Amino acid sequence: MISLYASVGPELTHYYLDVDAGTLSRKATIAAPQAIQYVWPHVSKKYLYVASSDSLPKSAAPDKPPGTQHHITAFKVAADGTLSAHGKPKLLPSRPVHISTDIPSKHVLAAFNSPSGLSVYGINADGTVGEEVSKAGPSDCGIFAHQVRVALDNRMVILVTRGNEAADGKPEDPGALKIFRYSDGHLGDCATVAPNGGHGFGPRHLDFHPTQPWIYLSIEIQNQMMLFRRQGDAVEAAPAFVKETLLEPGNI
């Protein structure tokens, strides 16, 4: 059986997925401290890291003040996929819109959307979440960080900052990829990839090709997929390929 986990609000439910029968069997539900934002597995598959927050996106609750309870919580994964709380939740400064670990799962990285930011926390030998590596943090985190990923060689961190669409008389906020050198939890120099200065560039999520130096990036606002090439510790300034995701791009 394959374990599948799905969240609604603060609840994380474990299911068994039977691929041959095409069925889901509900097993158990466990709660995070607040509404779940994102989940990422430890490389050993023995632990699951859950980001939670009592803040809501402004689009969902424009008049609601920002929350005050934001956490990363570790859960232990049993051999049958059952989850149990593991250690104390790590209190964070603001809503963690996305988390991921580095490749050996020695650290967990958290992206914050408001204000846009990025922090790195150690992972203890027992799998619990440890202390923040650097209190200062990177200085240039763009506008509205939405995802953070570590390249497969563990030498580069990419923060996807989506920007914002123009709305209600407010001009567009440009999007960008913020690219940091990375070494054992420490973030180094930052470079920016933002075609056309980030205007008309609303990135959302990226993923890495497993064997080639290729980065695939979804451009949500413009309904596109882009492929960027990595050159050593840098990413080329312009995409190598762009594909539309709509059958009729001019018919929105």
Side-chain angles (χ1 to χ4, degrees), residues 93-251:
S94 60
R95 176 187 174 220
V97 69
H98 186 267
I99 59 170
S100 60
T101 69
D102 57 14
I103 303 308
S105 288
K106 292 176 62 179
H107 302 87
V108 59
L109 295 86
F112 307 98
N113 66 311
S114 182
S116 190
L118 170 61
S119 292
V120 183
Y121 300 87
I123 294 177
N124 299 322
D126 64 357
T128 56
V129 182
E131 297 302 314
E132 187 175 357
V133 173
S134 173
K135 293 292 183 183
S139 57
D140 183 5
C141 289
I143 299 170
F144 204 112
H146 192 266
Q147 187 200 30
V148 59
R149 291 293 305 273
V150 182
L152 300 182
D153 62 4
N154 213 45
R155 293 170 50 187
M156 173 188 290
V157 167
I158 303 182
L159 183 68
V160 180
T161 65
R162 69 166 209 198
N164 292 297
E165 293 182 84
D168 300 324
K170 185 178 181 295
E172 175 192 13
D173 291 322
L177 300 181
K178 299 294 181 178
I179 301 162
F180 301 90
R181 293 180 182 271
Y182 182 74
S183 176
D184 195 27
H186 295 278
L187 298 166
D189 297 338
C190 176
T192 298
V193 170
N196 192 37
H199 296 283
F201 181 69
R204 189 79 170 190
H205 292 101
L206 65 78
D207 207 349
F208 301 97
H209 191 283
T211 61
Q212 299 296 330
W214 302 335
I215 300 166
Y216 297 95
L217 180 68
S218 65
I219 311 297
E220 183 187 47
I221 297 173
Q222 287 76 34
N223 304 300
Q224 295 175 332
M225 285 290 297
M226 292 184 176
L227 182 148
F228 284 85
R229 290 194 178 104
R230 179 178 171 182
Q231 297 286 350
D233 289 332
V235 176
E236 292 182 348
F241 297 99
V242 180
K243 290 292 184 181
E244 301 289 342
T245 61
L246 299 181
L247 185 63
E248 300 178 54
N251 181 21

Side-chain angles (χ1 to χ4, degrees), residues 19-44:
V19 177
D20 294 330
T23 58
L24 282 174
S25 303
R26 182 171 181 161
K27 293 303 175 183
T29 296
I30 196 167
Q34 303 293 337
I36 293 170
Q37 309 295 304
Y38 212 86
V39 175
W40 194 271
H42 190 279
V43 68
S44 69

Side-chain angles (χ1 to χ4, degrees), residues 78-96:
D80 65 355
T82 301
L83 300 176
S84 59
H86 186 53
K88 295 181 179 179
K90 170 61 65 176
L91 186 65
L92 304 180
S94 60
R95 176 187 174 220

